Coordinates of all heavy atoms in Angstrom, one line a residue:
I200 N 0.8 -1.2 0.0 CA 0.0 0.0 0.0 C 0.9 1.2 0.0 O 0.7 2.2 -0.8 CB -0.9 0.0 1.2 CG1 -1.9 -1.2 1.2 CG2 -1.7 1.3 1.3 CD1 -3.0 -1.2 0.2
D201 N 1.9 1.3 0.9 CA 2.8 2.4 0.9 C 3.5 2.6 -0.4 O 3.7 3.8 -0.9 CB 3.8 2.3 2.1 CG 3.1 2.4 3.4 OD1 2.0 3.0 3.5 OD2 3.7 1.9 4.4
G202 N 4.0 1.6 -1.0 CA 4.7 1.6 -2.3 C 3.8 2.2 -3.4 O 4.2 3.0 -4.2
F203 N 2.6 1.7 -3.4 CA 1.6 2.2 -4.4 C 1.4 3.7 -4.2 O 1.4 4.4 -5.2 CB 0.3 1.4 -4.2 CG -0.7 1.6 -5.3 CD1 -0.4 1.1 -6.6 CD2 -1.9 2.2 -5.1 CE1 -1.4 1.3 -7.6 CE2 -2.8 2.3 -6.1 CZ -2.6 1.9 -7.4
S204 N 1.2 4.1 -3.0 CA 1.0 5.5 -2.7 C 2.2 6.4 -3.1 O 2.0 7.4 -3.7 CB 0.7 5.7 -1.2 OG 0.3 7.0 -0.9
R205 N 3.4 5.9 -2.9 CA 4.6 6.6 -3.3 C 4.7 6.8 -4.8 O 5.1 7.8 -5.3 CB 5.8 5.9 -2.7 CG 6.2 6.3 -1.3 CD 7.6 5.8 -0.9 NE 7.7 4.4 -1.1 CZ 7.4 3.5 -0.1 NH1 6.9 3.9 1.0 NH2 7.6 2.2 -0.4
E206 N 4.3 5.7 -5.5 CA 4.4 5.8 -7.0 C 3.4 6.8 -7.5 O 3.7 7.6 -8.4 CB 4.0 4.4 -7.6 CG 5.2 3.4 -7.5 CD 4.8 2.1 -8.1 OE1 4.0 2.1 -9.1 OE2 5.3 1.1 -7.6
V207 N 2.2 6.9 -6.9 CA 1.2 7.9 -7.3 C 1.8 9.3 -7.1 O 1.7 10.2 -7.9 CB -0.1 7.6 -6.6 CG1 -1.0 8.8 -6.8 CG2 -0.7 6.3 -7.1
Q208 N 2.4 9.5 -5.9 CA 2.9 10.8 -5.6 C 4.0 11.2 -6.5 O 4.1 12.4 -7.0 CB 3.4 10.8 -4.1 CG 2.2 10.8 -3.2 CD 2.7 10.5 -1.7 OE1 3.8 10.3 -1.5 NE2 1.7 10.6 -0.8
E209 N 4.9 10.3 -6.9 CA 5.9 10.5 -7.9 C 5.4 10.9 -9.2 O 5.8 11.9 -9.9 CB 6.9 9.3 -8.0 CG 8.0 9.6 -8.9 CD 9.0 8.4 -9.0 OE1 9.2 7.8 -7.9 OE2 9.4 8.0 -10.1
Y210 N 4.4 10.2 -9.7 CA 3.7 10.5 -11.0 C 3.1 11.9 -10.9 O 3.3 12.7 -11.8 CB 2.6 9.5 -11.3 CG 1.7 9.9 -12.4 CD1 2.1 9.7 -13.7 CD2 0.5 10.6 -12.2 CE1 1.3 10.1 -14.8 CE2 -0.3 11.0 -13.2 CZ 0.1 10.8 -14.5 OH -0.6 11.2 -15.5
A211 N 2.4 12.2 -9.8 CA 1.7 13.5 -9.7 C 2.8 14.6 -9.7 O 2.5 15.7 -10.3 CB 0.9 13.6 -8.4
A212 N 3.9 14.4 -9.2 CA 5.0 15.5 -9.1 C 5.6 15.7 -10.5 O 6.1 16.8 -10.8 CB 6.0 15.1 -8.1
N213 N 5.5 14.7 -11.4 CA 6.2 14.8 -12.7 C 5.3 15.0 -13.9 O 5.7 15.1 -15.0 CB 7.1 13.6 -12.9 CG 8.2 13.5 -11.9 OD1 8.9 14.5 -11.7 ND2 8.4 12.4 -11.2
T214 N 4.0 15.0 -13.6 CA 3.0 15.1 -14.8 C 3.1 16.5 -15.4 O 3.3 17.5 -14.6 CB 1.6 14.7 -14.4 OG1 0.8 14.7 -15.6 CG2 1.0 15.7 -13.4
K215 N 3.0 16.6 -16.7 CA 3.1 17.9 -17.3 C 1.8 18.2 -18.2 O 1.8 19.1 -19.0 CB 4.3 17.9 -18.2 CG 5.6 17.7 -17.5 CD 6.8 17.6 -18.5 CE 8.1 17.4 -17.7 NZ 8.2 16.3 -16.9
W216 N 0.8 17.4 -18.0 CA -0.4 17.6 -18.9 C -1.6 18.2 -18.2 O -2.7 18.1 -18.6 CB -0.8 16.3 -19.5 CG 0.3 15.8 -20.4 CD1 1.0 16.5 -21.3 CD2 0.7 14.4 -20.6 NE1 1.9 15.7 -22.0 CE2 1.8 14.4 -21.6 CE3 0.4 13.2 -20.0 CZ2 2.4 13.3 -22.0 CZ3 1.0 12.1 -20.4 CH2 2.0 12.1 -21.4
G217 N -1.4 18.8 -17.0 CA -2.5 19.5 -16.3 C -3.4 18.6 -15.5 O -4.4 19.1 -14.9
C218 N -3.1 17.4 -15.3 CA -3.9 16.4 -14.5 C -3.3 16.5 -13.1 O -2.2 16.7 -12.8 CB -3.8 15.0 -15.1 SG -4.3 14.9 -16.8
T219 N -4.2 16.1 -12.2 CA -3.8 16.0 -10.8 C -4.1 14.6 -10.3 O -5.0 13.9 -10.8 CB -4.5 17.0 -9.9 OG1 -5.9 16.7 -9.9 CG2 -4.2 18.4 -10.2
M220 N -3.2 14.1 -9.4 CA -3.4 12.8 -8.8 C -3.2 12.9 -7.4 O -2.1 13.4 -7.0 CB -2.5 11.8 -9.5 CG -2.8 10.3 -9.1 SD -1.8 9.1 -9.9 CE -2.7 9.0 -11.5
T221 N -4.1 12.5 -6.6 CA -4.0 12.6 -5.1 C -4.3 11.3 -4.5 O -5.0 10.5 -5.0 CB -4.9 13.7 -4.5 OG1 -6.3 13.4 -4.9 CG2 -4.6 15.1 -5.0
T222 N -3.7 11.1 -3.3 CA -3.9 9.8 -2.6 C -4.4 10.2 -1.2 O -4.0 11.2 -0.6 CB -2.6 9.0 -2.5 OG1 -1.7 9.7 -1.7 CG2 -2.1 8.6 -3.8
S223 N -5.1 9.3 -0.6 CA -5.5 9.5 0.8 C -5.7 8.1 1.4 O -6.3 7.2 0.7 CB -6.8 10.3 0.9 OG -7.8 9.7 0.3
A224 N -5.2 7.9 2.6 CA -5.4 6.6 3.3 C -6.8 6.6 3.8 O -7.3 7.6 4.3 CB -4.4 6.5 4.5
S225 N -7.5 5.5 3.5 CA -8.9 5.4 4.0 C -9.0 4.3 5.0 O -10.1 3.8 5.3 CB -9.8 5.1 2.8 OG -9.4 4.0 2.0
G226 N -7.9 3.8 5.5 CA -7.8 2.8 6.6 C -6.4 2.3 6.7 O -5.5 2.7 5.9
P227 N -6.1 1.4 7.6 CA -4.7 1.0 7.8 C -4.2 0.2 6.6 O -3.0 0.2 6.4 CB -4.8 0.1 9.1 CG -6.3 -0.3 9.2 CD -7.1 0.8 8.5
R228 N -5.0 -0.5 5.9 CA -4.5 -1.3 4.7 C -5.3 -0.9 3.4 O -5.6 -1.8 2.7 CB -4.6 -2.7 5.0 CG -3.8 -3.2 6.2 CD -3.7 -4.7 6.3 NE -3.2 -5.3 5.1 CZ -1.9 -5.4 4.7 NH1 -1.0 -5.0 5.5 NH2 -1.6 -6.0 3.6
S229 N -5.5 0.4 3.3 CA -6.3 0.8 2.1 C -5.9 2.2 1.7 O -5.4 3.0 2.5 CB -7.8 0.8 2.3 OG -8.1 1.6 3.4
V230 N -6.0 2.5 0.4 CA -5.7 3.8 -0.1 C -6.7 4.2 -1.2 O -7.2 3.3 -1.9 CB -4.2 3.9 -0.7 CG1 -4.0 3.0 -1.9 CG2 -3.8 5.3 -1.0
R231 N -7.0 5.4 -1.4 CA -7.9 5.9 -2.4 C -7.1 6.9 -3.2 O -6.4 7.8 -2.7 CB -9.1 6.6 -1.8 CG -10.1 7.2 -2.8 CD -11.3 7.7 -2.0 NE -12.2 8.4 -2.9 CZ -12.3 9.7 -3.0 NH1 -11.6 10.5 -2.2 NH2 -13.1 10.3 -3.9
I232 N -7.2 6.8 -4.5 CA -6.5 7.6 -5.5 C -7.5 8.3 -6.4 O -8.5 7.7 -6.9 CB -5.5 6.8 -6.4 CG1 -4.5 6.1 -5.5 CG2 -4.9 7.7 -7.4 CD1 -4.3 4.7 -5.9
V233 N -7.4 9.6 -6.6 CA -8.2 10.4 -7.5 C -7.3 11.0 -8.6 O -6.4 11.6 -8.3 CB -9.0 11.5 -6.7 CG1 -9.8 12.3 -7.7 CG2 -9.9 10.9 -5.7
H234 N -7.7 10.7 -9.8 CA -7.0 11.2 -11.0 C -7.9 12.1 -11.7 O -9.0 11.6 -12.2 CB -6.5 10.0 -11.9 CG -5.6 10.5 -13.0 ND1 -6.0 10.4 -14.3 CD2 -4.3 10.9 -13.0 CE1 -5.1 10.9 -15.1 NE2 -4.0 11.2 -14.3
D235 N -7.6 13.4 -11.8 CA -8.5 14.3 -12.4 C -7.8 15.1 -13.5 O -6.8 15.7 -13.3 CB -9.0 15.3 -11.3 CG -10.2 16.1 -11.7 OD1 -10.8 15.8 -12.8 OD2 -10.5 17.1 -11.0
C236 N -8.4 15.0 -14.7 CA -7.9 15.8 -15.9 C -9.0 16.8 -16.3 O -10.0 16.3 -16.9 CB -7.5 14.8 -17.0 SG -6.0 13.9 -16.6
P237 N -8.8 18.1 -16.1 CA -9.8 19.0 -16.5 C -10.0 19.2 -18.0 O -11.0 19.7 -18.4 CB -9.3 20.3 -15.8 CG -7.9 20.1 -15.6 CD -7.6 18.7 -15.5
S238 N -9.0 18.8 -18.8 CA -9.1 18.9 -20.2 C -8.3 17.9 -20.9 O -7.4 17.3 -20.3 CB -8.7 20.3 -20.7 OG -7.3 20.5 -20.4
D239 N -8.5 17.7 -22.2 CA -7.7 16.8 -23.0 C -6.3 17.6 -23.2 O -6.2 18.5 -23.9 CB -8.3 16.6 -24.4 CG -9.6 15.8 -24.3 OD1 -9.8 15.1 -23.3 OD2 -10.4 15.9 -25.2
G240 N -5.3 17.1 -22.5 CA -4.1 17.9 -22.4 C -2.8 17.3 -23.1 O -1.8 18.0 -23.1
S241 N -2.9 16.2 -23.7 CA -1.6 15.6 -24.2 C -1.6 15.8 -25.7 O -2.6 15.6 -26.4 CB -1.6 14.1 -24.0 OG -0.6 13.5 -24.7
P242 N -0.5 16.2 -26.3 CA -0.4 16.4 -27.7 C -0.5 15.1 -28.5 O -0.7 15.1 -29.7 CB 1.0 17.1 -27.9 CG 1.8 16.7 -26.7 CD 0.8 16.6 -25.6
V243 N -0.3 14.0 -27.8 CA -0.4 12.7 -28.5 C -1.6 11.9 -28.1 O -1.7 10.7 -28.4 CB 0.9 11.9 -28.3 CG1 2.1 12.5 -29.0 CG2 1.2 11.7 -26.8
G244 N -2.6 12.6 -27.5 CA -3.8 11.9 -27.2 C -3.8 10.9 -26.1 O -4.7 10.1 -25.9
M245 N -2.8 11.0 -25.2 CA -2.7 10.1 -24.1 C -3.5 10.5 -22.9 O -3.7 9.7 -21.9 CB -1.2 10.0 -23.6 CG -0.3 9.4 -24.7 SD 1.4 9.4 -24.3 CE 1.5 8.7 -22.7
V246 N -4.0 11.7 -22.8 CA -4.8 12.2 -21.7 C -6.2 12.6 -22.2 O -6.3 13.4 -23.1 CB -4.1 13.5 -21.1 CG1 -4.9 14.0 -19.9 CG2 -2.7 13.1 -20.5
T247 N -7.2 12.1 -21.5 CA -8.6 12.4 -21.8 C -9.2 13.1 -20.6 O -9.0 12.7 -19.5 CB -9.3 11.0 -22.1 OG1 -8.7 10.4 -23.2 CG2 -10.7 11.3 -22.5
K248 N -10.0 14.1 -20.9 CA -10.7 14.8 -19.9 C -11.6 13.9 -19.1 O -12.3 13.0 -19.7 CB -11.6 15.9 -20.5 CG -12.3 16.7 -19.6 CD -13.2 17.8 -20.3 CE -14.0 18.6 -19.3 NZ -14.7 19.6 -19.9
G249 N -11.5 13.9 -17.8 CA -12.3 13.1 -16.9 C -11.7 12.9 -15.6 O -10.7 13.4 -15.2
R250 N -12.4 12.1 -14.8 CA -12.0 11.8 -13.4 C -12.1 10.3 -13.2 O -13.1 9.7 -13.5 CB -12.9 12.6 -12.5 CG -12.6 12.4 -11.0 CD -13.7 13.2 -10.2 NE -13.5 13.0 -8.8 CZ -12.9 13.8 -8.0 NH1 -12.3 14.9 -8.5 NH2 -12.8 13.6 -6.7
S251 N -11.1 9.8 -12.5 CA -11.1 8.4 -12.1 C -10.8 8.3 -10.6 O -10.0 9.0 -10.1 CB -10.0 7.6 -12.9 OG -10.3 7.6 -14.2
E252 N -11.5 7.4 -9.9 CA -11.3 7.1 -8.5 C -10.9 5.6 -8.4 O -11.6 4.8 -8.9 CB -12.5 7.4 -7.7 CG -12.8 8.9 -7.7 CD -14.0 9.2 -6.8 OE1 -14.3 8.4 -5.9 OE2 -14.6 10.3 -7.0
I253 N -9.8 5.4 -7.7 CA -9.3 4.0 -7.5 C -9.2 3.7 -6.0 O -8.6 4.5 -5.3 CB -7.9 3.8 -8.2 CG1 -8.0 4.2 -9.7 CG2 -7.4 2.4 -8.0 CD1 -6.6 4.4 -10.3
S254 N -9.8 2.7 -5.6 CA -9.7 2.2 -4.2 C -9.0 0.9 -4.2 O -9.3 0.0 -4.9 CB -11.1 2.0 -3.6 OG -11.8 3.2 -3.6
L255 N -8.0 0.9 -3.3 CA -7.2 -0.4 -3.1 C -7.3 -0.7 -1.7 O -6.9 0.0 -0.8 CB -5.7 -0.1 -3.5 CG -4.7 -1.2 -3.2 CD1 -5.1 -2.5 -3.9 CD2 -3.3 -0.8 -3.6
D256 N -7.9 -1.9 -1.4 CA -8.0 -2.4 -0.1 C -7.4 -3.8 0.0 O -7.5 -4.6 -0.9 CB -9.5 -2.6 0.3 CG -10.3 -1.3 0.2 OD1 -9.9 -0.4 1.0 OD2 -11.2 -1.1 -0.6
S257 N -6.7 -4.0 1.2 CA -6.0 -5.2 1.4 C -6.3 -5.6 2.9 O -5.7 -5.1 3.8 CB -4.5 -5.1 1.2 OG -3.9 -6.3 1.4
A258 N -7.2 -6.5 3.0 CA -7.6 -7.0 4.4 C -6.5 -7.7 5.1 O -6.4 -7.8 6.3 CB -8.9 -7.9 4.3
S259 N -5.6 -8.3 4.2 CA -4.4 -9.1 4.8 C -3.4 -9.0 3.7 O -3.6 -8.7 2.6 CB -4.8 -10.5 5.1 OG -5.0 -11.2 3.8
P260 N -2.1 -9.4 4.0 CA -1.1 -9.5 3.0 C -1.4 -10.5 1.9 O -0.8 -10.4 0.8 CB 0.2 -9.9 3.8 CG -0.1 -9.5 5.2 CD -1.6 -9.7 5.4
Q261 N -2.3 -11.4 2.1 CA -2.7 -12.4 1.1 C -3.8 -12.0 0.2 O -4.1 -12.7 -0.8 CB -3.0 -13.7 1.7 CG -1.8 -14.4 2.3 CD -1.4 -13.9 3.7 OE1 -2.2 -13.2 4.4 NE2 -0.2 -14.2 4.1
A262 N -4.5 -10.9 0.4 CA -5.7 -10.6 -0.3 C -5.8 -9.1 -0.7 O -5.3 -8.2 0.1 CB -7.0 -11.0 0.4
F263 N -6.4 -8.8 -1.8 CA -6.6 -7.4 -2.2 C -7.8 -7.2 -3.0 O -8.3 -8.2 -3.6 CB -5.4 -6.8 -2.9 CG -5.2 -7.3 -4.3 CD1 -5.9 -6.7 -5.4 CD2 -4.5 -8.5 -4.6 CE1 -5.8 -7.3 -6.7 CE2 -4.4 -9.0 -5.9 CZ -5.0 -8.4 -6.9
R264 N -8.3 -6.0 -3.1 CA -9.5 -5.7 -3.9 C -9.2 -4.3 -4.5 O -8.9 -3.3 -3.7 CB -10.8 -5.6 -3.1 CG -12.0 -5.2 -3.9 CD -13.2 -5.1 -3.0 NE -14.3 -4.4 -3.6 CZ -15.3 -5.0 -4.3 NH1 -15.2 -6.3 -4.5 NH2 -16.3 -4.3 -4.8
I265 N -9.4 -4.1 -5.8 CA -9.2 -2.9 -6.5 C -10.5 -2.5 -7.1 O -11.1 -3.4 -7.9 CB -8.1 -2.9 -7.5 CG1 -6.7 -3.2 -6.9 CG2 -8.0 -1.6 -8.3 CD1 -5.6 -3.4 -7.9
E266 N -11.0 -1.3 -6.9 CA -12.3 -0.9 -7.5 C -12.0 0.4 -8.2 O -11.4 1.4 -7.6 CB -13.4 -0.7 -6.5 CG -14.7 -0.3 -7.1 CD -15.8 -0.3 -6.0 OE1 -15.6 -0.7 -4.9 OE2 -16.9 0.2 -6.4
I267 N -12.3 0.5 -9.5 CA -12.1 1.7 -10.3 C -13.4 2.2 -10.8 O -14.2 1.5 -11.4 CB -11.2 1.4 -11.5 CG1 -9.8 0.8 -11.0 CG2 -10.9 2.7 -12.3 CD1 -9.0 0.3 -12.1
R268 N -13.7 3.5 -10.5 CA -14.8 4.2 -11.1 C -14.3 5.4 -11.9 O -13.4 6.1 -11.5 CB -15.7 4.7 -10.0 CG -16.4 3.6 -9.2 CD -17.3 4.2 -8.1 NE -16.5 5.0 -7.2 CZ -16.1 4.5 -6.0 NH1 -16.3 3.3 -5.6 NH2 -15.4 5.3 -5.2
S269 N -14.9 5.6 -13.1 CA -14.4 6.6 -14.0 C -15.5 7.3 -14.8 O -16.5 6.7 -15.1 CB -13.3 6.0 -14.9 OG -12.9 6.9 -15.9
T270 N -15.2 8.6 -15.1 CA -16.1 9.2 -16.1 C -15.7 9.0 -17.5 O -16.3 9.3 -18.5 CB -16.1 10.8 -15.8 OG1 -14.8 11.3 -16.0 CG2 -16.6 11.1 -14.5
V271 N -14.5 8.3 -17.7 CA -13.9 8.1 -19.0 C -14.2 6.6 -19.4 O -14.6 6.3 -20.6 CB -12.4 8.4 -19.0 CG1 -11.8 8.1 -20.4 CG2 -12.2 9.8 -18.6
D272 N -13.9 5.7 -18.6 CA -14.0 4.2 -18.9 C -15.0 3.5 -18.0 O -15.5 4.1 -17.0 CB -12.6 3.6 -18.7 CG -11.5 4.1 -19.6 OD1 -11.8 4.2 -20.8 OD2 -10.5 4.5 -19.1
A273 N -15.3 2.3 -18.3 CA -16.3 1.5 -17.6 C -15.7 1.2 -16.2 O -14.5 1.1 -16.0 CB -16.6 0.2 -18.3
A274 N -16.6 1.0 -15.2 CA -16.2 0.6 -13.9 C -15.5 -0.8 -13.9 O -15.8 -1.6 -14.8 CB -17.4 0.6 -12.9
L275 N -14.6 -1.0 -12.9 CA -13.9 -2.3 -12.9 C -13.7 -2.7 -11.4 O -13.3 -1.8 -10.6 CB -12.6 -2.1 -13.6 CG -11.6 -3.3 -13.6 CD1 -12.1 -4.5 -14.4 CD2 -10.2 -2.9 -14.1
V276 N -13.8 -4.0 -11.1 CA -13.5 -4.5 -9.8 C -12.6 -5.7 -10.0 O -12.9 -6.6 -10.8 CB -14.8 -4.9 -9.0 CG1 -14.4 -5.5 -7.7 CG2 -15.6 -3.6 -8.8
M277 N -11.5 -5.8 -9.3 CA -10.6 -6.9 -9.3 C -10.4 -7.4 -7.9 O -10.2 -6.5 -7.0 CB -9.3 -6.6 -9.9 CG -9.3 -6.4 -11.4 SD -7.6 -6.2 -12.0 CE -7.2 -4.6 -11.4
E278 N -10.3 -8.7 -7.7 CA -9.9 -9.2 -6.4 C -8.9 -10.3 -6.6 O -8.9 -11.0 -7.6 CB -11.2 -9.8 -5.7 CG -12.2 -8.8 -5.3 CD -13.4 -9.4 -4.6 OE1 -13.5 -10.6 -4.5 OE2 -14.2 -8.6 -4.0
G279 N -8.0 -10.4 -5.7 CA -6.9 -11.4 -5.8 C -6.5 -11.9 -4.4 O -6.7 -11.3 -3.4
N280 N -6.0 -13.1 -4.5 CA -5.5 -13.8 -3.3 C -4.1 -14.4 -3.6 O -4.0 -15.0 -4.7 CB -6.4 -14.9 -2.8 CG -7.7 -14.4 -2.3 OD1 -7.7 -13.7 -1.3 ND2 -8.8 -14.7 -2.9
R281 N -3.2 -14.2 -2.8 CA -1.9 -14.8 -3.0 C -1.8 -16.1 -2.3 O -2.3 -16.3 -1.2 CB -0.8 -13.9 -2.3 CG 0.6 -14.4 -2.5 CD 1.6 -13.5 -2.0 NE 2.9 -14.1 -2.0 CZ 4.0 -13.5 -1.9 NH1 4.0 -12.2 -1.8 NH2 5.2 -14.2 -1.9
I282 N -1.3 -17.1 -3.0 CA -1.2 -18.5 -2.5 C 0.3 -18.6 -2.0 O 1.2 -18.3 -2.8 CB -1.5 -19.5 -3.5 CG1 -3.0 -19.3 -3.9 CG2 -1.3 -20.9 -3.0 CD1 -3.4 -20.1 -5.1
G283 N 0.5 -19.1 -0.8 CA 1.8 -19.3 -0.3 C 2.2 -18.3 0.8 O 1.3 -17.5 1.2
D284 N 3.4 -18.2 1.2 CA 3.9 -17.4 2.3 C 4.0 -15.9 1.8 O 4.5 -15.7 0.7 CB 5.2 -17.8 2.8 CG 5.1 -19.2 3.5 OD1 4.0 -19.5 4.0 OD2 6.1 -19.9 3.6
C285 N 3.7 -15.0 2.7 CA 3.9 -13.6 2.4 C 4.7 -13.0 3.6 O 4.3 -13.2 4.7 CB 2.5 -12.9 2.4 SG 1.5 -13.3 1.0
P286 N 5.8 -12.4 3.3 CA 6.6 -11.8 4.4 C 5.9 -10.6 5.0 O 5.0 -10.0 4.5 CB 7.8 -11.3 3.7 CG 7.6 -11.4 2.2 CD 6.3 -12.2 2.0

């Protein structure tokens, strides 16, 4: 969770297309990310105007759930479980 949050912050610090990306902890093992692009800002069509919200929850080191809601793309939910030992 911490690594995911750090990657988002690094991306947000380096973006040049007018988009913002913020993170907030919504629990001890969860993070919420909001990606907001007020306009189509990339000269090569890589950025589309819209807002996406991503929730990453991990009840344990062996399980996670990602939920994505967006004004640009269809909603998506993924769940996963790790088999084996987790440090």
Side-chain angles (χ1 to χ4, degrees):
I200 299 286
D201 290 337
F203 191 67
S204 184
R205 276 192 303 273
E206 286 182 30
V207 169
Q208 291 169 354
E209 182 178 318
Y210 168 84
N213 293 311
T214 187
K215 296 174 179 65
W216 294 320
C218 301
T219 60
M220 188 175 281
T221 56
T222 63
S223 60
S225 52
R228 297 191 55 84
S229 60
V230 66
R231 181 173 171 256
I232 299 134
V233 176
H234 186 251
D235 193 14
C236 290
S238 65
D239 296 333
S241 166
V243 292
M245 294 173 53
V246 176
T247 303
K248 179 180 179 176
R250 179 182 179 98
S251 298
E252 295 183 19
I253 304 164
S254 297
L255 172 60
D256 298 301
S257 178
S259 73
Q261 287 82 16
F263 71 90
R264 176 184 168 91
I265 298 174
E266 184 174 350
I267 303 171
R268 291 180 302 263
S269 175
T270 62
V271 178
D272 297 310
L275 174 69
V276 174
M277 285 186 291
E278 294 182 351
N280 291 296
R281 180 174 173 166
I282 300 171
D284 294 333
C285 294

